[in-house]
Amino acid sequence: MRHLTALLGICLAAQAQNWPHFRGPMAAGTADGTNPPMSWDVEKGKNVLWRTAIPGISVSSPVIWESTVYAVTSISSDSKSEFRAGLYGDTEPAKDTSPHTWKLYAVDLRSGGIKWQRTICEGVPKTKRHPKASHSSPSPAVDAKRVIVWFGSEGLYAYDHSGRQLWKKDLGVIDAGWFFDPDYQWGVASSPVLWKDRVFLQADQQKNSFIACFDAASGKELWRTGRDEIPSWGTPAVLEWDGKAQLVTNGTKAIRAYDPMTGKLIWSLKGNSEITCPTPVAGGGLIYVAAGYPPIQPIYAVKWSAAGDITLQGDATSNEHIAWSLKRGGSYQPTPLLYGGILYVCSNSGVLSAYDAKTGERLYQQRVAGKGGAFSASPIAADERIYLASEDGEVHIVKAGPKYETLASNPVGEVMMGTPAFAKGMLVIRTMKHLVAVGEPAPGSRPASGY
Amino acid sequence: MILLSTGIALLLIQAPRLDEELLEAARKGDLPAVQALVGKGANIEAQSRYGQTPLFFAARNGHAPVVRFLLGKGAKTDVKDSFYKMSLLSAAADRGGVDVVAALLDAGANGSDALGIAVYRGNKEIVELILRKAKPPADELSSALQAAEQAKQPEIAAMLKAAGAKPPRKPEAVVAAEKLALLVGTYKGDPVGEFTVQLKEGKLFGMTQGQSFELGAFDETTFGLVQAPQVTLKFNVEGGKATKLTLDQRGAQFTLVRVEEK
């Protein structure tokens, strides 16, 4: 498969900024100092550093460790396997029940060359998936020693950076789907998280939901805590503040925080959407959790000191544990972005709302680039710029701050479902068929060769 | 005595389990299992977390034999789920198929949203069935006709007109500017959130979620979205100013209260 190679003036230091799991460190989605590009056009080749074809269907996000980008995919033996992007309300699973191949790719961050690829497993998927999902929706997680990938019912796997399998685990069938009719299977999407040589997995399903912790070196299960939960798709987050850590999970019946070392519940908060996807984020002593499906679409700003049942009573919007909250405004799929004291929430239809992170006062609400669109990827930010990747094939750049301003809209030419990753001077984007790196070459460097 | 109380305890534990199994069997269309469970005492009106009954599940999933069996046992047809507020008949019109809809209509089921759903699905057979057996009222016919025309379903539109559907009136009334100005302001209410009404160049616009909609007038206080006139806004005007508006979307009504400017 031909890939772009380019002689670049960009210096990628050995200690490059890492993007170790979904949405980067602490799922924050921020990377100041990386100076990502402002403009590009993938179809015309402008400011494209490389573009590497990845077969199959995947809505996962790329992750980066030093000089390697990791990506997963699932390849159906049915070449007409259905995938439908866009805004629609169909609940029926995709009809493809043919054998699949699940793969992990390690791609060179500088050149886009494939360092290695591994077939992780093969077979008929054990559950169906939503037509807007994939059988490889969870993003990988990576640290200095290993890459972790999870494919739901197809298992949990660990590889070292040379592609050698370290261990694997079969966690059984993970049956996640529509709360309204359990026969409508949609597949999993919650990504594994690595923290202090531990792997955390949130498995919310029709029955027997749980959150678990595994030793990253051996795969040994260290603890498992059952959850009274219906299916959910958010990735958990290990959030750290003031020297302490909490493992925070979104969920319909309750938003919950656990001690990551023991799995013991720290606090729980009832009152949420019936389908939850966004990942919790934190900063300034507050933990932000949102969701965007009926019956309510809340945003909660929970104090770090929260403990026990912190559910709001009656019409209250705050209490001793919750700094502020809104019943409406939460996002369905994109995870909110906390940046520069402002909480940005992007709806599925591309309405970007900005809130004062301390008080919840809404600063603005605008359609991205004046037109909105379809958005599954979560907003990310670096160097006072917010990047929003749409399913419609554009990455919009909005100025960070209390007033809305579109800075650029850059065509990528393909559906984008996963959240891009920042690297030094680059943005690494997962499109439906490629991994693409865009960046502005340093003056004097040779332009990238054609596709 | 001990045996009796143990037996009662067992029954109490088994009852919810039987009900759960009945809901699942009905959902899957397993008629022998449904019959066996009803025979063991499972509650034919058992409800899921979202208010769906065995009949609701069977109807929605098109399991006609199970539907007929449960109707024969007297299962209620006036069921709505508690989450989407979908009637049993509309669930059947959505995905249940002609046989199921026919069985429900014969049992007296009705649901004002069923005709609209059948039009949306482009299912001529089910539209014909509902028109013939349920005789929907004029406003339902009107809404369905508008939906058929918007969905470019000319055959269904013709069926609806033959059944007496009249095109819905269009929001084209002329209202004086000073009357329109009374309605300008910000309104708030769950679940819509914030809805701002503005007057621009003599026309009224509503804005919510970063999107603007032109409002056309039916009369001085009732408006419809120009692009979707079946969505109506009824303003309450008291003492010379608007105090609230009621948004009506296919029968679902939401009230928003006007917020005073600071």
Side-chain angles (χ1 to χ4, degrees):
Chain A
M1 194 84 57
R2 195 171 172 201
H3 60 267
L4 265 186
T5 55
L7 185 65
L8 304 170
I10 296 169
C11 175
L12 288 170
Q15 300 285 328
Q17 192 153 3
N18 296 314
W19 195 264
H21 45 240
F22 166 69
R23 242 285 199 86
M26 282 214 321
T30 61
D32 282 343
T34 51
N35 194 28
M38 269 286 286
S39 79
W40 64 85
D41 185 323
V42 174
E43 288 175 301
K44 292 179 181 168
K46 176 190 169 193
N47 287 340
V48 178
L49 303 176
W50 49 260
R51 190 172 80 155
T52 300
I54 305 282
I57 295 173
S58 183
V59 304
S60 62
S61 303
V63 299
I64 303 171
W65 191 267
E66 295 186 350
S67 62
T68 308
V69 182
Y70 292 97
V72 290
T73 191
S74 43
I75 306 163
S76 173
S77 55
D78 178 359
S79 59
K80 293 183 185 143
S81 188
E82 176 192 13
F83 179 83
R84 271 189 293 140
L87 299 172
Y88 57 89
D90 281 0
T91 52
E92 198 127 2
K95 291 181 174 35
D96 180 9
T97 54
S98 59
H100 281 60
T101 302
W102 284 262
K103 300 189 80 154
L104 169 63
Y105 283 78
V107 174
D108 189 286
L109 179 63
R110 284 173 286 260
S111 68
I114 296 175
K115 290 182 176 180
W116 52 262
Q117 53 177 293
R118 295 288 179 266
T119 294
I120 306 230
C121 57
E122 292 174 294
V124 175
K126 295 184 178 73
T127 71
K128 294 179 188 158
R129 63 166 173 89
H130 195 282
K132 202 175 166 179
S134 62
H135 285 299
S136 53
S137 300
S139 306
V142 60
D143 66 13
K145 296 172 198 161
R146 78 276 297 183
V147 187
I148 305 292
V149 296
W150 188 44
F151 296 128
S153 306
E154 272 57 57
L156 177 68
Y157 302 82
Y159 285 76
D160 70 14
H161 287 285
S162 69
R164 183 172 62 97
Q165 190 180 90
L166 299 172
W167 52 262
K168 64 179 182 181
K169 292 192 83 71
D170 179 357
L171 300 176
V173 172
I174 309 293
D175 188 4
W178 196 17
F179 61 88
F180 197 71
D181 189 333
D183 291 333
Y184 285 63
Q185 295 175 324
W186 289 347
V188 303
S190 179
S191 301
V193 175
L194 267 166
W195 180 78
K196 294 193 173 176
D197 293 315
R198 290 166 172 243
V199 180
F200 298 94
L201 269 191
Q202 180 177 346
D204 288 341
Q205 48 183 329
Q206 301 290 359
K207 292 178 184 172
N208 305 317
S209 300
F210 64 87
I211 183 149
C213 172
F214 305 88
D215 174 67
S218 64
K220 181 186 167 191
E221 186 172 300
L222 298 175
W223 57 257
R224 179 184 291 220
T225 299
R227 285 163 60 82
D228 176 20
E229 262 308 341
I230 64 173
S232 78
W233 288 268
T235 293
V238 180
L239 303 172
E240 297 184 81
W241 181 257
D242 201 24
K244 293 181 187 154
Q246 293 188 23
L247 174 64
V248 187
T249 60
N250 209 343
T252 293
K253 291 191 177 181
I255 297 163
R256 300 175 180 88
Y258 304 86
D259 180 334
M261 300 305 286
T262 64
K264 189 179 165 194
L265 188 67
I266 300 173
W267 56 261
S268 67
L269 165 58
K270 293 193 180 82
N272 209 351
S273 304
E274 212 67 10
I275 294 175
T276 61
C277 301
T279 294
V281 295
L286 292 174
I287 298 167
Y288 300 89
V289 190
Y293 197 78
I296 59 169
Q297 301 84 42
I299 304 173
Y300 290 104
V302 177
K303 295 178 187 175
W304 190 261
S305 54
D309 182 351
I310 67 170
T311 303
L312 291 165
Q313 300 300 315
D315 289 333
T317 58
S318 64
N319 60 23
E320 66 176 294
H321 308 286
I322 297 172
W324 58 266
S325 70
L326 300 169
K327 273 197 187 143
R328 281 188 55 83
S331 44
Y332 184 27
Q333 274 158 308
T335 290
L337 170 72
L338 178 66
Y339 187 66
I342 297 175
L343 187 74
Y344 300 90
V345 181
C346 182
S347 76
N348 270 37
S349 59
V351 176
L352 183 65
S353 305
Y355 300 89
D356 180 308
K358 280 192 190 153
T359 65
E361 178 200 350
R362 196 175 75 196
L363 304 170
Y364 70 70
Q365 186 176 68
Q366 290 289 334
R367 291 206 165 253
V368 173
K371 58 182 179 180
F375 290 75
S376 284
S378 301
I380 53 176
D383 302 314
E384 303 304 316
R385 301 191 286 274
I386 300 168
Y387 290 69
L388 300 112
S390 80
E391 296 174 27
D392 313 301
E394 287 183 294
V395 176
H396 304 284
I397 305 177
V398 169
K399 187 176 177 181
K403 284 190 181 173
Y404 180 87
E405 181 184 342
T406 303
L407 296 176
S409 290
N410 297 305
V412 174
E414 286 185 61
V415 170
M416 286 173 287
M417 302 295 292
T419 297
F422 289 121
K424 190 76 175 168
M426 301 161 76
L427 187 70
V428 177
I429 303 167
R430 179 69 195 272
T431 69
M432 193 45 64
K433 296 178 185 164
H434 295 88
L435 262 178
V436 185
V438 295
E440 288 158 8
S445 64
R446 208 182 299 163
S449 56
Y451 297 113
Chain B
M1 199 58 185
I2 293 171
L3 279 173
L4 183 62
S5 58
T6 305
I8 291 170
L10 270 172
L11 274 173
L12 288 171
I13 291 166
Q14 280 174 352
R17 208 174 288 156
L18 283 177
D19 292 350
E20 215 176 287
E21 289 176 12
L22 177 60
L23 287 166
E24 186 171 343
R27 205 176 72 233
K28 292 186 186 301
D30 186 348
L31 180 59
V34 168
Q35 290 168 324
L37 286 159
V38 170
K40 283 183 194 171
N43 179 7
I44 62 166
E45 304 300 347
Q47 290 191 7
S48 72
R49 175 179 152 95
Y50 305 101
Q52 301 140 305
T53 60
L55 181 60
F56 188 104
F57 273 128
R60 188 176 180 278
N61 291 341
H63 301 309
V66 175
V67 167
R68 282 190 281 268
F69 172 77
L70 290 169
L71 286 172
K73 289 290 180 185
K76 291 181 188 169
T77 59
D78 59 342
V79 174
K80 258 191 188 182
D81 81 89
S82 60
F83 191 84
Y84 296 111
K85 311 285 191 266
M86 187 187 283
S87 70
L88 187 151
L89 186 65
S90 66
D94 189 25
R95 292 179 191 283
V98 174
D99 289 348
V100 169
V101 172
L104 291 174
L105 285 168
D106 287 341
N110 61 58
S112 60
D113 42 356
L115 181 59
I117 299 257
V119 169
Y120 170 72
R121 289 288 179 203
N123 193 317
K124 286 180 279 197
E125 283 185 279
I126 292 182
V127 169
E128 188 278 327
L129 254 181
I130 295 174
L131 290 175
R132 181 162 45 88
K133 291 183 180 251
K135 307 267 190 274
D139 59 339
E140 256 182 67
L141 289 173
S142 234
S143 292
L145 176 59
Q146 182 165 48
E149 287 173 345
Q150 279 177 346
K152 295 186 177 36
Q153 299 270 5
E155 286 184 56
I156 292 181
M159 288 163 66
L160 290 162
K161 284 177 189 170
K166 303 264 186 284
R169 57 182 186 135
K170 292 184 180 173
E172 294 174 329
V174 176
V175 176
E178 58 268 23
K179 297 281 187 189
L180 292 176
L182 297 176
L183 311 176
V184 169
T186 300
Y187 301 75
K188 282 188 179 176
D190 282 336
V192 176
E194 197 172 285
F195 192 92
T196 304
V197 177
Q198 297 170 328
L199 186 59
K200 291 182 210 171
E201 294 171 8
K203 293 181 185 176
L204 215 60
F205 289 83
M207 198 155 132
T208 186
Q209 297 277 322
Q211 204 167 16
S212 185
F213 308 93
E214 187 181 345
L215 306 178
F218 289 108
D219 57 43
E220 285 182 0
T221 56
T222 312
F223 293 76
L225 269 53
V226 167
Q227 286 182 312
Q230 67 272 25
V231 180
T232 62
L233 294 87
K234 173 80 180 165
F235 290 87
N236 224 60
V237 177
E238 291 168 20
K241 63 178 181 180
T243 56
K244 62 181 178 182
L245 76 87
T246 302
L247 198 147
D248 189 318
Q249 186 171 357
R250 287 176 58 190
Q253 292 189 336
F254 311 101
T255 300
L256 294 85
V257 176
R258 184 170 174 178
V259 174
E260 289 300 327
E261 304 289 324
K262 285 181 188 166

